[in-house]
């Protein structure tokens, strides 16, 4: 990692070292994704990588590679390969659109899984004509708009999961997953979420697919029940340590309630959101306005994530966990989500570089992925400064930051954002159907 200055003002956080400085300078060179235009709208992101600074270089995958395989062979390696092979962290891609074969260059560059959400599908479907033919057939066959939406989504998930099957097989169900989320309208519906997860699992019918369930209070029992039914889950929208512990307990409870003698194929990840935490807390710190408060901007998210990893290590050890391990259980890996940087003053790898550690996943949208492949540094950082993380967390509390409020507020905003994306997409599909003269107003 780049060296980072210490806090300048004397405070509980003044001795914090480089790990938590968000403003480290970075090279200006970026990695761009070549895009292709469509007839329905403007552009759809493709995953062919190129290096670009002020002017783009055209061509296929061109990335700054790390060292070869040690035998003199010209292996095309990137920092993403090193991330997994040297530090045990799986890099995933937080995006999905058609054609899913655009994922192939990313897989070759080291990407080992994919996450999706209602916002991603809203963008993919509303800005592309690649879905028109299937959508036309679905509506002509009598499908309503929401049913048609789910069939579009299921096809993308099935096609993408096929590309990651070899990784899933090679790791004995440890990696190579594609995630699909239940309807965000069910975030407060325990039983509805359970039924939706079972339905999605059945219709997708792929072993390497995670059903995403939000970590809302009503959905914590849903997580337990779905896991108990032998369905692998990506628990999403986790913003606090308290809720994260409840998610872990739901996973353990579900494994114990499953009655299965072989738990090796029932896995899970816990998606702990990062950048959004800083977005909210930075605003609160700016309202406080003291030098100490301002110096803590851009540090809360990484500090809380580091403490989440400590909780992960604690919960997945001891007699209870060891009893499950004997049945083949796998740890519920921490997945760092919301890894793109919202504040341009911060390092563009702020939510990736300080969160590297074994048995974790980092899912990166275009911006974060581009930045890390171009100038990332691969080393174990997630638990290198735990005392500093504790100091930041406590310093924020002393300043009046209520972590419970932060978690609850971000959860409300996250669920609301996904609901709006979902509704917007259904409206877009209705408009598209009308434009294709398939459905009358």
């Amino acid at each position: 990692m780049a060296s980072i200055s210490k806090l300048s003002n004397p405070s509980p956080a003044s001795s914090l070292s480089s790990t938590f400085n968000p403003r480290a300078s970075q090279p200006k060179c970026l990695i761009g994704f070549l895009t292709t235009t469509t007839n329905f709208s403007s552009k759809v992101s493709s995953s062919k990588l190129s290096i670009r600074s002020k002017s783009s270089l055209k061509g296929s995958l061109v990335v700054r590679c790390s060292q070869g395989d040690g035998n003199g062979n010209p292996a095309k390696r990137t920092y993403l390969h090193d991330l997994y092979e040297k530090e045990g962290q799986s890099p995933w891609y937080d995006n999905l659109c058609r054609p899913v074969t655009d994922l192939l260059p990313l897989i070759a560059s080291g990407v080992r899984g994919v996450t999706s959400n209602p916002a991603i599908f809203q963008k993919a479907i509303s800005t592309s004509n690649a879905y028109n033919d299937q959508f036309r057939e679905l509506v002509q066959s009598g499908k309503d708009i929401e049913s048609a939406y789910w069939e579009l989504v299921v096809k993308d998930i099935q096609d993408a999961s096929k590309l990651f099957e070899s990784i899933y097989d090679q790791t004995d169900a440890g990696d190579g997953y594609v995630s699909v989320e239940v309807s965000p309208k069910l975030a407060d519906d325990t039983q509805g979420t359970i039924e939706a997860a079972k339905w999605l699992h059945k219709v997708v019918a792929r072993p390497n697919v995670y059903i995403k369930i939000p970590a809302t209070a009503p959905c914590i029992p849903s997580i337990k029940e779905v896991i108990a039914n032998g369905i692998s889950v990506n628990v999403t929208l986790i913003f606090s340590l308290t809720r994260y512990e409840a998610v872990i307990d739901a996973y353990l409870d579900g494994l114990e309630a499953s009655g299965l003698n072989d738990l090796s194929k029932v896995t899970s990840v816990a998606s702990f959101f990062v950048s959004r935490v800083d977005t909210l807390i930075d605003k609160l710190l700016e309202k406080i306005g003291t030098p100490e408060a301002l110096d803590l901007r851009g540090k809360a998210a990484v500090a809380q994530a580091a403490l989440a990893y400590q909780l992960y290590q604690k919960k997945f050890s001891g007699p209870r966990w060891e009893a499950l391990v004997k049945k083949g259980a796998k740890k519920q890996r921490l997945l760092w989500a919301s890894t793109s940087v919202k504040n341009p003053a911060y390092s563009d790898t702020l939510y990736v570089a300080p969160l590297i550690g074994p048995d974790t996943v980092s899912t990166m949208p275009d911006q974060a992925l581009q930045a890390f492949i171009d100038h990332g540094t691969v080393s174990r950082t997630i638990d290198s400064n735990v005392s500093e993380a504790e100091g930041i967390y406590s310093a924020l509390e002393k300043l009046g930051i209520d972590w419970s409020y932060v978690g609850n507020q971000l959860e409300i905003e996250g669920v609301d954002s996904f609901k709006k994306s979902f509704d917007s997409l259904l409206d877009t599909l209705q408009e598209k159907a009308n434009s294709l003269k398939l459905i009358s107003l």
Side-chain angles (χ1 to χ4, degrees), residues 42 63 104 140 171 173 181 194 202 217 243 259 266 291 293 318 321 351 356 363 367 369 381 393 397 409 419:
S42 55
V63 295
L104 290 172
Q140 287 178 337
T171 58
E181 190 160 346
I194 293 170
K202 181 178 180 180
R243 187 55 55 83
V266 186
W321 175 242
Y351 303 116
I356 298 174
T363 189
Q367 176 201 47
L369 190 69
T381 52
Y393 195 90
E397 287 181 318
Q409 180 62 27
K419 284 181 179 178

Side-chain angles (χ1 to χ4, degrees), residues 400-420:
I401 300 299
D402 183 344
W403 284 98
S404 177
Y405 162 77
V406 170
N408 290 336
Q409 180 62 27
L410 289 174
E411 180 182 296
I412 292 169
E413 292 177 4
V415 171
D416 185 57
S417 175
F418 283 165
K419 284 181 179 178
K420 287 179 179 177

Side-chain angles (χ1 to χ4, degrees), residues 419-436:
K419 284 181 179 178
K420 287 179 179 177
S421 293
F422 188 78
D423 289 339
S424 174
L425 178 53
L426 294 184
D427 289 342
T428 298
L429 287 175
Q430 181 68 63
E431 292 170 4
K432 181 178 282 196
N434 294 338
S435 70
L436 296 171

Side-chain angles (χ1 to χ4, degrees), residues 193-207:
T193 295
I194 293 170
E195 296 306 317
K198 289 179 179 179
W199 176 80
L200 264 179
H201 175 70
K202 181 178 180 180
V203 297
V204 172
R206 297 290 189 274

